Amino acid sequence: MQESNMAGWQRKQTSVEKGIVIPDEWPGYPLELFSLPEHYSEDLDCVYIPHGVIMDRIERIARNILEDLGDHDIVVLCVLKAGYQFCADLVDSIKVLCRSSSKTLPMRVDFIRLKSYLNDQSTEVLHIEGAENLSVLSGKAIVDTGKTMKTLLNHVEAFKPKMIKVAGLLVKRVPSGTGYLPDYVGFDISNRFVVGYALDYNEYFRDLNHICVISDRGKLKYKI
């Protein structure tokens, strides 16, 4: 195992890719250091993961996927809505890498929509819409309790794909978690409600480039 620290973040490399581990005590960056929409000026506590860091991490995941799956013909299953930006940037990164690699990765893209949140709480009711012909690589923005992903995988397995690989941008450390870990992980984070980079709170905050922590005022303002 190799470990290194940068700006309070701990990067761990093991035989299983666990992503960048952001410790529970990580305070995030002050909002005034970044360019943010004025309409959210009082609705956020901090910038948790800057956009540039997200993009660098996605490029590394793309390299890992190309190394593992190169020369296969795959279907990328984008999990909407929160996963659309992650999936789009991941696919773009893979395409760029393919242009300078001896490996190729032909990709088709399909979409499926999941909804399991009300305000900032994950509910027991999961709605699955779309995708009738599925195959290998799934892209999801957040894996928290793992229950949603297990339900989705059961749904996908019914189509009898040759293999399934899951890429998750964020994995939350939650007490009620099932211990599920995607094959490719961007960041391992504490149990905080984050928004931005297509992650929403009742459909708001998808227009943020950075991943941020929503404030109590923001939760109250956009609560339904």
Side-chain angles (χ1 to χ4, degrees):
M1 179 183 296
Q2 296 179 342
E3 298 185 5
S4 61
N5 290 298
M6 179 176 290
W9 293 12
Q10 187 180 63
R11 175 72 170 89
K12 295 184 177 181
Q13 289 182 325
T14 65
S15 57
V16 177
E17 181 57 71
K18 294 185 178 179
I20 296 176
V21 179
I22 303 180
D24 292 344
E25 62 272 16
W26 171 243
Y29 294 98
L31 299 176
E32 58 267 23
L33 297 178
F34 298 86
S35 179
L36 298 165
E38 181 61 30
H39 50 273
Y40 293 141
S41 60
E42 297 181 357
D43 303 328
L44 303 168
D45 278 340
C46 66
V47 172
Y48 196 63
I49 309 175
H51 182 258
V53 177
I54 298 170
M55 296 305 295
D56 281 356
R57 182 67 190 130
I58 288 175
E59 182 181 346
R60 178 67 260 185
I61 293 174
R63 288 182 183 275
N64 292 344
I65 290 172
L66 185 59
E67 291 170 2
D68 294 345
L69 302 180
D71 300 326
H72 285 81
D73 187 340
I74 71 169
V75 173
V76 178
L77 178 61
C78 178
V79 182
L80 300 173
K81 296 181 183 178
Y84 81 83
Q85 191 65 63
F86 171 51
C87 186
D89 288 336
L90 182 60
V91 168
D92 282 346
S93 293
I94 293 173
K95 290 192 296 185
V96 169
L97 292 172
C98 282
R99 292 201 291 265
S100 58
S101 172
S102 60
K103 290 187 175 183
T104 61
L105 190 61
M107 293 180 291
R108 291 168 289 156
V109 180
D110 208 336
F111 301 89
I112 193 166
R113 183 176 177 183
L114 303 181
K115 184 173 177 61
S116 62
Y117 268 87
L118 178 64
N119 296 319
D120 61 347
Q121 299 296 317
S122 180
T123 68
E124 294 296 324
V125 180
L126 175 65
H127 299 282
I128 301 178
E129 302 174 4
E132 301 300 329
N133 184 18
L134 309 178
S135 195
V136 283
L137 180 67
S138 173
K140 191 176 190 294
I142 299 181
V143 177
D144 42 28
T145 64
K147 296 176 182 177
T148 299
M149 182 52 66
K150 285 196 170 186
T151 301
L152 173 60
L153 290 177
N154 289 337
H155 180 77
V156 173
E157 286 169 355
F159 294 89
K160 302 187 184 303
K162 292 180 179 178
M163 62 175 157
I164 301 172
K165 297 289 186 180
V166 177
L169 180 62
L170 305 176
V171 172
K172 280 187 179 181
R173 300 185 294 274
V174 295
S176 58
T178 62
Y180 175 80
L181 189 67
D183 301 280
Y184 307 98
V185 178
F187 303 89
D188 184 313
I189 69 172
S190 60
N191 189 20
R192 304 177 74 178
F193 197 89
V194 292
V195 295
Y197 193 70
L199 306 175
D200 75 302
Y201 179 81
N202 293 331
E203 299 301 327
Y204 290 93
F205 301 101
R206 295 192 196 276
D207 51 340
L208 284 171
N209 286 332
H210 313 291
I211 292 177
C212 303
V213 176
I214 188 173
S215 67
D216 290 338
R217 182 187 184 281
K219 290 181 182 179
L220 183 62
K221 180 178 178 181
Y222 298 108
K223 185 176 182 179
I224 58 175

